[in-house]
């Protein structure tokens, strides 16, 4: 009998290597899950530029470990 290993389910939906910003095609640093459904992926520049517009429509986000998103502070201040 042959056993098959199944990887654990992903707990985070981080931007994956090679994924590109929806705005400019630079390397992705942030993935935002929208309340209406779907995801947006941004480079660090555009993630911070649009942070104030993204926070009200986001239900979740995952950032690259080395990237500090400005929206993190905005989300914390809303709660």
């Amino acid at each position: 009998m042959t056993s098959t290993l199944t990887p654990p389910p992903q707990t985070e939906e981080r931007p994956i290597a090679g994924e590109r910003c929806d705005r400019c095609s630079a390397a992705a640093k942030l993935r935002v899950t929208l309340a209406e459904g779907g995801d947006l992926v941004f480079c660090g520049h555009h993630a911070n530029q649009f942070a104030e517009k993204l926070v009200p429509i986001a239900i979740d986000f995952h950032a690259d470990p080395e990237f500090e998103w400005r929206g993190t502070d905005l989300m914390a201040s809303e709660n």
Side-chain angles (χ1 to χ4, degrees), residues 27-46:
K29 299 291 182 187
L30 178 80
R31 173 185 301 282
V32 177
T33 303
L34 304 175
E36 294 180 0
D39 293 338
L40 292 174
V41 180
F42 292 104
C43 66
H45 167 78
H46 285 115

Side-chain angles (χ1 to χ4, degrees), residues 41-64:
V41 180
F42 292 104
C43 66
H45 167 78
H46 285 115
N48 284 327
Q49 179 181 356
F50 298 122
E52 289 180 4
K53 293 180 180 179
L54 291 170
V55 167
I57 62 172
I59 57 171
D60 199 11
F61 75 93
H62 297 284
D64 188 274

Side-chain angles (χ1 to χ4, degrees), residues 63-75:
D64 188 274
E66 297 88 37
F67 175 62
E68 289 187 36
W69 182 42
R70 189 168 69 93
T72 304
D73 294 335
L74 296 172
M75 287 181 116

